[in-house]
Structures are given as C-alpha cells and as structure tokens.
Amino acid sequence: MGMTITEKILARAAGKRVIGPGDNVWVEVDILLTHDVCGPGTIGVFQREFGAAAKVWDPLKVVIIPDHYVFTQDEKAHRNIDSLRYFVDQQKLPYFYDPGTSRYKGVCHVALPEAGHVRPGEVIFGTDSHTCTHGALGAFATGIGNTDAGFIMGTGKLLIKVPKTMRFRVNGSVPPYIMGKDIILKIIGDIGFDGASYFAMEFTGEAIRQLSIEERMTICNMAIEAGGKNGIIEPDEKTFDYVRARTSLPFNAVYGDVDAPVDSERTYDASTLEPCVAEPHVPSHYALARERNDVKLDRAYIGSCTGGKITDFIAAARVLKGHQVTIPTFLVPATVEVAEALIKTEIDGTSLVEIFAVAGCEDIAPPSCAACLGGPPDTYGRTSGNEAVISTTNRNFPGRMGSKLSRIYLASPLTVAASAIRGHITDPREFM
Amino acid sequence: MKTIRGAVYVVQDDIDTDQIIPAQYLNLVPTIPEEYVKLGSYALCGLPDGYPPFVKPGATKADYTIIVGGRNFGCGSSREHAPVCLGAAGVNAVVAESYARIFFRNAVATGELYPFETAIRLCTIFKTGDVAEIDVNGAQLTNLTSNQSYSLKDLGAVAPVVEAGGIFAYARKAGIIK
C-alpha cells in the first residue's frame, strides 16, 4: 500500500521505510524557524533544560527571523530582539536576519523560502502556526510551541504523530478574478474552522499546478485556519525553479504514491469559484463578495505572510490602476524583497509604488507583521475602535488586529482593492 | 487518586489564542519568572465583552481552577503563552469538546494544565462560578454545585506527562533523556 507525500517525507525523516497515519515517530529536523515573539522563550527553555552553556544541535539548521514587533517603541520588544542577538552571537548562528541591518528581511514565512531555507522533501518546524505555509514547496512544515522548539534546539529531533491526509483536488482553469485566497477560503468554509484538525491538507489538481509558488503559499498558509497540521503541495518544475534560484543546497523531492489511501477527497472546479470574503469572527464564515455589498468599510489592509507577497500587490495594483480609494488603505509588504519589487515592477509602464500613490493609498510601510496580529499599541495599522476592515491577512478573530470591537473581513488582494475603491465589500469583477 | 477541585469558568466554542492572550502581551517571555506571573494576570482578557473578567483587575491569579469550554478550544496561534498564561493564572484543567492541535500539545509539553476532552456539551450545562471536582485518573468530572457527574475521555499517555510537569521532566523521569 502506498504512502502520501506527507507520510513519505516523515518516513524518510524517521529513517523508516513504511509509516502510516497514527504512528508516533521521532523525526530528524531539517530546519527550526523562530522569531522575536517565541524565540526568547524557546531559548529560555533550551538553556533551562540543556544548560546555559549548551550548544544548538546544528547552527546551520536554526533560522531566526525577527518580524513581529520590529517597528515599535515597546521596550520589551526591543529587549527580546537584543536577547536573540546575544544568543546568535554566542552560538555563532549564520542565519539571523537582524532588524536595522542590511540582512533584515521581514515576515518569516515569506522570508524563509526567499532565503532558500525551504526545500522540497524536508521537515520544517517553526514556533509560529503559519509555518504550514512552507508545504507549498513540497516540504512537511508545521507550527510548534516553545517547549517543543527548545527540545529540537538541543536534540534536532521531535516526536510527532503522523497525520491522516485530507485531499483537496482543484480542477479546471483559474479565472483572472480568482486567487489562492478564494480557493482556500472556499475550502475552509466547506469543512469548517476545525474541519481539518490534526489532518494533513494536501492540495492537488490542475488549478493548483497553474498557480505561482506565492499563490500556493497563500493556500498552504491557511491550512491552520481549518486546524490542519500541515498543508502540502507536491513539487513541480515551478517549485524547482523557485528553489534553485535561491539555494545551491541539494534536496530530494518527494512525491506521494498514486495508490496511497487518503482519509477523504473533495473535488473543486476553479472555473466556477467566485470572489469571496470570510466574515467576522472566524475564517470559515464564507460569503460571496457580490452578496455583501451592504457591508460598509472603514479601512483596507494589504499585508502579512498570507497576503503581502509581490503577487498580492500586483493583483491589487491591477484593480487600483486608474481608480481612487475612498477609505484608508494600508500597504505592508511582507519582506524587503517585496518592498523593492514594488518599485521595480511595472504595469503598462507605471510602477506599483506609483499606482498605489496615485490611487490615494497610505504610504507604504516598512516590512513586518504589523497589524495582522494587533501587537503593541503603536503597531502600524492596528485597529483601536469599531472599524470594519477588509484585509488580505489570515485571521479575523475578535481583537486580532488590535481592538476587540473591530470587525475583520478576510479577502483576496483583488477583492480588498475593489472594496477600497467603493468603500464597501465589492466583487473585483466590477473593475476587471 | 489525584483530584482537581475549584471554581469553574465557562466559555463557548472556538476560543482562539488571541482571546486567551492578546498579541500585545506576547512581548512577555514565559521563562522569565516575573513575566510568567504577569502573563497570568492577562489570561483570557481578550474574550469578547459580555464575559465576566477571568482575572480581577489588579490580581495576578484567577478565582477559577477549571475552565469548561466547547469545541476547538485554543485554536489559532502556536503561542505557548496561551497554556502558560492559564497555568500562571491558577488553572489546573480545561474540559472541552475538542482542542486545536497545537494548544493541546503545548498544554501537555509545558505541563501547565490537563486538557480533558468530553463528548458532552458541558459549556451549556455548567455556569461560571459552579464548584467542580475532577478525578484525574478516573476521568470523571463532578459539578459539586448541582451534584451531577460526567465522564471525561481518558487522557491515556498524556496524564503522566502533565503530572510530571511537562515533557522534559517526564522524559528525565522515564529515562528518555539525561
């Protein structure tokens, strides 16, 4: 009997020929990712348990990307980044992307693959639930807490349960008004906010193959919003082109067996999907954008690991070009690479930066997680009252962007841009 | 027989980690003792208006020892601050219909609290302020206010890990690590 891609990656990492769902296995870790919010606590656990003088198991496999609370006056946030600097120096860790230096990158889940740390077939753990993003490149990737991460720092291993697989086959051709965000919000709407709890979510089908790596990342990023352990897409030539442009390290791509049994399979036709939103306060509150024109908005937000990639800004600019926004529209590129691409990328001879400026958007903010998760009170774009926000981010929980009273509608960058022009939820087809 | 006894605080479905500990307090580091205490003082302060305060203003601990919830408790972020702040506030157990995967694992790995599951929708039966007792090994919850008992799902291999104080303490006790 065959194994799925998730099972095969975990089998390799466990040094076993065959494993199956429900097996508890010790896996060798290829990359441990942490950031400024959970890194200090992880280091605290590591030093408490392995000793103040302990060395990490492999300095080349620990990647530290501060991104959450970077542009703030909060003293503890600064102290936390300082404590990472001290640890990195002490441990001689080469992969630290320090704020305030030319190495700074920004949001860890966009920076990690950009810097070549995500490779097909590998096992990645991160102290952030959106670590599932990296399954978009054919890796097994999932979020863990500080204690598990501290264990990995000391040993390079973790005991995990092999998840069952739910397969989502998306056939058909992806229309120009549909994005990865519409696909994943539809799936989460169907299976529910906890519909994939403990499961691997495997995305396949011709529509998925058509998507860019960045769009695939949007889909895998939100696997956690259905409770999934990991999201995963088999690698193809697009994956290899993306990875080889960013690292010279070798890797072994892994593919599922054709006869691998899965727990369930759902089939979608991308050509029949419509632009959508997730209404407050859970990502499974699916609604069609065209049926929510009555929802008036106070601001629009484009940013985060889910919706702050260059492809997201290109999509928004396609809609905004030649129009004016009527509500404050915040733009936060995920990384420095994305911010630079906003200057270099043009649509019909006009740069994205210029398109956004002419459309009346707020000045482009420096790359970080910013208001996606609220954060310290001085966080850029953070809500403070009962604002209705349409956002390309991943969560619309009460208080997620700061104020408990604000209401967050999740949508694709196309839908966010169209809605920013009208000032109410708008189907982007009105501008395409 | 290990028992947990105390006042109950009742919440509903989909209590996410931003409600358990809002992101603005993630600048606190759980392994720093005074910040561990501080995290406890903010436990569940992100719940929507309408819930009574879990920790009274000015206090560092809650008056509640047991939380009763619905489905998908602890969904969202992988922040270990979530089970940590509940443990720091004095919570010994959560009883819910289901958990988000990472919260459950973090609760066990830190040994901060027992994450019991139940097939019964207790969040519509219990009232905040009820006094209850959990027989940990017998997997039984008794509401001492109403004098009703409910069976819980046995925690199996998870119970001794929490009992030991988390995955490291357990692994040392069991001889898995030095």
Side-chain angles (χ1 to χ4, degrees):
Chain A
M1 201 160 59
M3 292 191 288
T4 65
I5 177 174
T6 294
E7 291 154 13
K8 284 176 84 170
I9 293 172
L10 294 177
R12 181 197 58 74
K16 292 180 184 295
R17 213 167 48 80
V18 181
I19 58 172
D23 291 355
N24 288 305
V25 292
W26 285 97
V27 294
E28 300 275 346
V29 178
D30 294 302
I31 291 292
L32 173 66
L33 165 70
T34 191
H35 49 47
D36 54 312
V37 158
C38 293
T42 295
I43 293 163
V45 170
F46 168 68
Q47 293 181 330
R48 182 186 72 205
E49 301 294 342
F50 295 97
K55 292 285 173 197
V56 304
W57 98 100
D58 186 342
L60 297 178
K61 293 183 175 176
V62 178
V63 181
I64 303 183
I65 309 181
D67 57 356
H68 278 56
Y69 306 155
V70 173
F71 302 102
T72 170
Q73 298 301 312
D74 187 273
E75 282 177 20
K76 285 205 169 61
H78 289 287
R79 175 206 63 184
N80 291 345
I81 294 175
D82 279 342
S83 76
L84 295 176
R85 290 182 180 126
Y86 183 78
F87 183 73
V88 162
D89 191 48
Q90 193 188 36
Q91 298 278 339
K92 308 263 180 295
L93 303 181
Y95 300 125
F96 175 54
Y97 300 98
D98 195 0
T101 74
S102 61
R103 288 181 60 76
Y104 179 64
K105 288 202 167 293
V107 178
C108 64
H109 300 308
V110 180
L112 195 74
E114 265 181 8
H117 297 301
V118 180
R119 297 171 290 265
E122 299 201 345
V123 171
I124 299 167
F125 289 100
T127 59
D128 190 286
S129 60
H130 292 108
T131 303
C132 54
T133 307
H134 311 297
L137 287 99
F140 173 85
T142 192
I144 55 172
N146 298 352
T147 300
D148 281 338
F151 190 94
I152 293 174
M153 259 189 187
T155 65
K157 295 180 178 58
L158 194 63
L159 178 65
I160 66 161
K161 185 179 279 189
V162 179
K164 295 179 193 171
T165 291
M166 294 171 80
R167 184 174 288 151
F168 301 88
R169 187 179 296 280
V170 189
N171 293 324
S173 169
V174 184
Y177 49 83
I178 290 297
M179 298 191 69
K181 188 67 167 281
D182 297 294
I183 295 173
I184 190 64
L185 288 179
K186 170 69 178 160
I187 289 172
I188 296 168
D190 284 353
I191 66 173
F193 187 29
D194 59 354
S197 276
Y198 289 82
F199 284 88
M201 296 176 78
E202 182 182 311
F203 305 99
T204 189
E206 60 197 66
I208 301 293
R209 298 275 154 241
Q210 282 167 39
L211 297 176
S212 66
I213 294 301
E214 288 85 353
E215 282 282 276
R216 295 178 191 182
M217 285 167 63
T218 305
I219 291 177
C220 288
N221 176 276
M222 291 192 70
I224 184 67
E225 307 325 329
K229 183 164 192 161
N230 65 313
I232 197 161
I233 294 171
E234 279 194 352
D236 60 10
E237 280 308 316
K238 279 185 194 170
T239 318
F240 302 140
D241 289 347
Y242 182 98
V243 174
R244 286 187 190 122
R246 288 162 176 83
T247 179
S248 54
L249 287 177
F251 56 86
N252 291 308
V254 173
Y255 305 90
D257 297 323
V258 283
D259 62 341
V262 294
D263 193 77
S264 64
E265 179 160 329
R266 281 170 181 265
T267 303
Y268 292 87
D269 179 353
S271 66
T272 64
L273 295 179
E274 295 192 72
C276 66
V277 297
E279 301 188 283
H281 288 286
V282 286
S284 56
H285 279 174
Y286 180 86
L288 294 181
R290 64 178 168 80
E291 292 176 352
R292 289 296 181 273
N293 291 341
D294 57 328
V295 177
K296 286 200 162 45
L297 299 163
D298 299 301
R299 62 169 69 164
Y301 187 96
I302 300 176
S304 82
C305 51
T306 318
K309 303 179 291 319
I310 185 60
T311 45
D312 299 308
F313 286 100
I314 292 171
R318 274 167 51 209
V319 169
L320 289 173
K321 193 163 190 285
H323 296 279
Q324 288 288 308
V325 299
T326 56
I327 53 175
T329 299
F330 297 88
L331 308 174
V332 189
T335 62
V336 171
E337 188 176 307
V338 174
E340 288 169 357
L342 296 181
I343 301 164
K344 290 181 216 143
T345 309
E346 295 183 344
I347 297 177
D348 302 331
T350 312
S351 73
L352 299 190
V353 168
E354 202 179 332
I355 292 170
F356 293 132
V358 170
C361 300
E362 303 293 311
D363 289 344
I364 292 164
S368 85
C369 297
C372 171
L373 79 164
D378 63 350
T379 300
Y380 180 78
R382 189 180 191 274
T383 59
S384 56
N386 63 352
E387 304 93 336
V389 187
I390 190 156
S391 174
T392 65
T393 53
N394 43 44
R395 288 185 174 145
N396 54 356
F397 305 158
R400 174 69 181 183
M401 293 184 87
S403 166
K404 277 194 228 184
L405 300 175
S406 61
R407 288 153 291 137
I408 306 160
Y409 294 81
L410 307 177
S412 78
L414 289 172
T415 301
V416 169
S419 305
I421 296 167
R422 292 267 198 260
H424 58 74
I425 293 176
T426 303
D427 188 314
R429 283 174 288 190
E430 293 185 26
F431 295 97
M432 297 174 81
Chain B
M1 187 178 88
K2 182 172 170 62
T3 56
I4 295 166
R5 187 185 171 129
V8 173
Y9 188 85
V10 182
V11 294
Q12 300 302 311
D13 294 331
D14 299 325
I15 299 301
D16 64 76
T17 50
D18 284 271
Q19 294 178 59
I20 297 171
I21 183 78
Q24 82 179 91
Y25 305 116
L26 300 185
N27 58 359
L28 299 168
V29 177
T31 47
I32 298 174
E34 57 272 25
E35 295 186 15
Y36 175 88
V37 173
K38 195 90 180 144
L39 278 166
S41 71
Y42 295 123
L44 288 171
C45 76
L47 285 172
D49 296 345
Y51 278 100
F54 182 67
V55 180
K56 289 201 188 97
T60 55
K61 290 208 169 209
D63 296 331
Y64 309 97
T65 310
I66 298 167
I67 292 173
V68 167
R71 279 177 59 166
N72 204 23
F73 188 91
C75 51
S77 157
S78 64
R79 61 187 71 158
E80 202 161 278
H81 308 67
V84 163
C85 76
L86 296 178
V91 173
N92 290 149
V94 178
V95 179
E97 288 170 81
S98 65
Y99 291 89
R101 181 186 61 81
I102 310 177
F103 178 89
F104 184 91
R105 177 150 183 152
N106 287 345
V108 176
T110 56
E112 288 287 346
L113 52 89
Y114 289 90
F116 277 104
E117 284 183 284
T118 171
I120 313 156
R121 193 160 172 78
L122 296 176
C123 64
T124 56
I125 299 172
F126 278 63
K127 305 240 172 325
T128 292
D130 286 355
V131 176
E133 186 173 276
I134 297 173
D135 168 359
V136 172
N137 308 106
Q140 180 105 343
L141 170 68
T142 303
N143 186 327
L144 300 171
T145 305
S146 65
N147 217 10
Q148 294 281 313
S149 283
Y150 308 90
S151 63
L152 307 175
K153 198 175 148 193
D154 189 83
L155 278 173
V158 159
V161 180
V162 179
E163 174 77 47
I167 196 76
F168 280 100
Y170 175 78
R172 286 209 176 84
K173 219 167 121 183
I176 298 168
I177 57 170
K178 272 188 264 177

